[in-house]
Amino acid sequence: MASGSDSRTAADPSYPPFPLLEQDDEGGGHVHELGLGAAQAASYLAERDGFLRVYRYPRCPEPGRLGMEAHTDSSVLSVINQEEGAGGLQVLHGGAWRDVAPAAGASTLLVNLGDMARAISGDAYRSVRHRVAASQAAERLSLCYFAFPRDDAVITCGAGRYRPFTYAEFREQVQADIKATGSKVGLERFLLHH
Ligand SMILES: O=C(O)CCC(=O)C(=O)O
Ligand SMILES: [Fe+2]
């Protein structure tokens, strides 16, 4: 995504390396670039391969129902905008589901890391498990932008952890698993050692 006065995009080979950052053992502060080359970085976060989805979750009179089942995103990253006052988005943190409430009086953007950020960072970052609780009170609207690698991008950075795979391969595996079992298996399919 282009930012500020810099009109170049992540798809442009002259764009600086994708600054995926790594947390230190204390859980913050120190950052570390993964050292991806410009071409590799561009193939891992291609602006033209992103898309926007608009969701409408109807009001649900039954208590305790989900609008969207628990999952991790397959993206590199996802940006979620919940309408003010909507709520409903929950992330799994420390073994418990936590509400991610939109800020009052402001448009809130939430950035979620997806499975591809996890693979690219060799598990330095985890893709967050999240779900949407249905509301008994009101319908809910959300706007979500998903950024993906190019289909033919070979994800090699998690070497030692995951076998190299293309994003297209990952997507097809996810679809096959959902068709066969009803749920996504995800990166586990690409682990080198179980
Ligand atoms: O609607 C939302 O807030 C979340 C949607 C979502 O998690 C997804 O599409 O992957
Ligand atoms: Fe999601």
Side-chain angles (χ1 to χ4, degrees):
M1 280 169 275
S3 67
S5 59
D6 190 342
S7 62
R8 289 173 302 168
T9 70
D12 181 339
S14 70
Y15 199 75
F18 181 25
L20 243 183
L21 307 173
E22 204 172 76
Q23 281 184 320
D24 62 15
D25 290 344
E26 284 80 48
H30 171 81
V31 292
H32 164 83
E33 289 208 3
L34 291 176
L36 306 179
Q40 196 180 18
S43 75
Y44 284 174
L45 197 62
E47 191 173 4
R48 64 178 172 273
D49 292 322
F51 59 78
L52 191 71
R53 266 196 204 139
V54 183
Y55 291 98
R56 175 179 163 266
Y57 299 84
R59 194 178 71 81
C60 178
E62 274 178 65
R65 299 297 291 261
L66 293 177
M68 192 177 285
E69 296 287 337
H71 66 281
T72 58
D73 292 346
S74 297
S75 57
V76 177
L77 54 85
S78 313
V79 184
I80 302 175
N81 174 227
Q82 300 190 89
E83 215 189 3
E84 192 198 332
L89 187 68
Q90 299 179 326
V91 297
L92 191 60
H93 186 256
W97 288 103
R98 317 259 171 149
D99 291 322
V100 183
S107 179
T108 313
L109 294 178
L110 177 84
V111 180
N112 264 356
L113 293 184
D115 298 333
M116 292 306 104
R118 177 171 184 167
I120 291 167
S121 72
D123 279 6
Y125 283 123
R126 301 298 169 104
S127 40
V128 67
R129 240 182 142 61
H130 56 287
R131 67 183 191 183
V132 179
S135 167
Q136 289 180 271
E139 78 169 25
R140 170 180 188 272
L141 293 176
S142 64
L143 264 174
C144 306
Y145 176 79
F146 302 92
F148 290 98
R150 277 204 339 237
D151 258 9
D152 61 354
V154 183
I155 312 290
T156 54
C157 299
R161 181 111 184 98
Y162 305 105
R163 69 170 175 80
F165 60 88
T166 62
Y167 179 66
E169 224 183 312
F170 183 81
R171 188 164 37 74
E172 280 156 25
Q173 184 66 57
V174 167
Q175 283 162 1
D177 287 332
I178 290 176
K179 204 169 163 197
T181 69
S183 55
K184 168 179 164 180
V185 178
L187 274 176
E188 227 181 278
R189 283 269 185 221
F190 298 85
L191 276 174
L192 282 172
H193 312 285
H194 287 267

